[in-house]
Amino acid sequence: MKPELTIQLMDTHAGGDVSRIVTGGIDRLPGDTVRAQMEYLRDDADGLRRLLLEEPYGVPEMSVDLLVPPTDPRAAAGYIIMEVMGYPIYSGSNTICTATAVLESGIVPKQEGKQNFILESPAGLVQIEATVHDGVVEAITCEGLPSYIHTYKASIDVPSLGEITYSVAYSGGFYALVDAASMGFDLTLDEERKLAEAAHAIVEAIQAERGFSHYTLGDVGPLPFLHFMGPVEHVADGYYRSRSATYVHPGVICRSTTGTGTSARLALMNYEGSIRPGDKLETVSLRETGFIGEFTSVEDEGEYQVIRNSITGKGYVIARSDIVVNCDDPMVECGSLHHILSSRRPGKITPQS
């Protein structure tokens, strides 16, 4: 009799973006850092990402976060991010969801009020501040990656759209930043399909024309993201608000404004001299959800002004489940998956002492 292969999940969302947190069912991965374990998944076990983001188990609009034991003793847990575009080294919404799951599962015991702990992402250690009220995780603030403007106001001719002006930021991945109004968009939910079609055409054109290199990481692959920017509203002293929409190639408009998209926007506002350290930007999605980005500091790294920032949002637990993996199912491809599936229920990451 074949052993039953199961994967334990906690489904969460932040700003509408669903993150499936894998809490058990996967063997320990090789690699002495979370980044190395991510690279192993990417190169030798991509079946996990495809299983949970494709039919019959999932849809491409979701994300997956695999909890792994931390390799740095300062961290409470490690996590590997998987999306339709591949394996981003960082994501604000995924970090908010993972931090929520770590608290809700007891890996980090909840404490009333504000508490701090560290997670280990493929990009490195991430400081987390959680706000807990009456046992409910009300908010998560996480570090955004150091972000900067790589290219300012370039133009490209896009088939069916004409000439498009865009800037490029790095905030955990390279983002094309496009003014929505210049293309006739108000960033409302009824425009979602047209936004995805326009973004797909722009990203395809940029990828075909040029690549981008990070000043320390080097080549991190083709540009995968586009962020549509609405007008900026000055709400109060040091507080701004803007409608936004983030696209992930190929074909996905995120439900939230995304943490890295918000960080990219902060980098552009700093570049243009419209915000100062301590200022905040609330980005508002097509679904009226939002994240708050805070611009904390800036420093020069060679030719770039690199900003430090944080992202605040709220994660919600929406399901706890076991997925049964049947490798005889013609819709399930286990070739790049079976070797990391556990045939037993493995011990989960243990709570902090």
Side-chain angles (χ1 to χ4, degrees):
M1 183 175 178
K2 292 183 180 179
E4 183 178 89
L5 302 175
T6 63
I7 297 174
Q8 289 79 57
L9 300 176
M10 180 184 290
D11 283 0
T12 61
H13 88 82
D17 278 325
V18 174
S19 292
R20 316 193 84 171
I21 313 300
V22 181
T23 60
I26 303 299
D27 285 332
R28 186 182 288 264
L29 302 175
D32 57 3
T33 64
V34 171
R35 178 69 170 269
Q37 292 173 35
M38 179 207 78
E39 291 168 350
Y40 174 81
L41 268 186
R42 182 193 67 199
D43 298 339
D44 297 292
D46 190 48
L48 178 64
R49 181 184 69 89
R50 299 204 310 274
L51 179 86
L52 296 177
L53 293 181
E54 296 176 1
E55 294 182 349
Y57 295 96
V59 293
E61 288 80 7
M62 292 179 170
S63 298
V64 176
D65 298 286
L66 172 63
L67 289 181
V68 297
T71 62
D72 189 305
R74 293 170 291 179
Y79 64 110
I80 298 169
I81 306 159
M82 291 166 266
E83 296 183 356
V84 64
M85 49 73 70
Y87 295 80
I89 63 171
Y90 192 69
S91 161
S93 60
N94 281 283
T95 300
I96 290 168
C97 285
T98 300
T100 301
V102 162
L103 288 163
E104 295 293 352
S105 63
I107 294 171
V108 173
K110 292 179 191 175
Q111 301 171 18
E112 279 293 303
K114 294 189 183 297
Q115 66 182 106
N116 295 280
F117 58 94
I118 297 173
L119 295 177
E120 186 178 358
S121 77
L125 295 180
V126 183
Q127 299 286 339
I128 304 293
E129 180 183 86
T131 302
V132 179
H133 181 66
D134 290 339
V136 176
V137 182
E138 295 289 354
I140 296 290
T141 297
C142 59
E143 293 178 282
L145 286 194
S147 305
Y148 67 96
I149 295 301
H150 180 284
T151 301
Y152 184 64
K153 289 195 174 179
S155 62
I156 189 168
D157 187 62
V158 180
S160 78
L161 296 177
E163 187 171 290
I164 300 296
T165 299
Y166 68 97
S167 298
V168 173
Y170 182 87
S171 55
F174 280 109
Y175 268 85
L177 300 169
V178 176
D179 179 73
S182 70
M183 298 187 64
F185 290 122
D186 296 317
L187 298 180
T188 53
L189 187 56
D190 60 300
E191 296 174 333
E192 185 171 39
R193 185 168 199 171
K194 289 184 178 179
L195 286 165
E197 291 170 351
H200 185 279
I202 296 168
V203 170
E204 287 277 306
I206 293 173
Q207 286 185 352
E209 182 178 274
R210 61 183 299 194
F212 300 92
S213 180
H214 189 276
Y215 65 93
T216 59
L217 299 174
D219 183 7
V220 293
L223 179 142
F225 303 116
L226 185 145
H227 191 72
F228 286 109
M229 307 178 294
V232 175
E233 176 189 1
H234 192 181
V235 179
D237 186 32
Y239 195 95
Y240 301 87
R241 183 182 293 128
S242 177
R243 300 192 67 82
S244 306
T246 290
Y247 166 84
V248 182
H249 199 62
V252 172
I253 292 287
C254 296
R255 271 55 180 167
S256 79
T257 54
T258 72
T260 47
T262 303
S263 297
R265 188 72 182 279
L266 288 171
L268 181 62
M269 292 176 73
N270 168 69
Y271 188 90
E272 293 178 333
S274 59
I275 55 172
R276 298 171 298 177
D279 288 353
K280 296 180 179 180
L281 171 69
E282 179 185 358
T283 50
V284 180
S285 76
L286 304 183
R287 288 168 172 76
E288 308 303 326
T289 61
F291 291 151
I292 297 173
E294 181 174 356
F295 171 32
T296 55
S297 65
V298 62
E299 56 193 37
D300 291 329
E301 293 286 349
E303 62 183 297
Y304 301 114
Q305 284 192 332
V306 179
I307 70 161
R308 300 280 177 175
N309 63 100
S310 65
I311 304 297
T312 299
K314 181 172 181 177
Y316 296 85
V317 176
I318 55 178
R320 293 180 175 88
S321 62
D322 284 2
I323 281 184
V324 178
V325 182
N326 185 348
C327 291
D328 293 330
D329 186 336
M331 293 191 71
V332 177
E333 196 284 298
C334 285
S336 59
L337 174 65
H338 66 85
H339 58 296
I340 61 170
L341 285 174
S342 177
S343 60
R344 62 198 183 281
R345 285 185 180 271
K348 298 182 181 181
I349 299 173
T350 55
Q352 289 180 320
S353 57

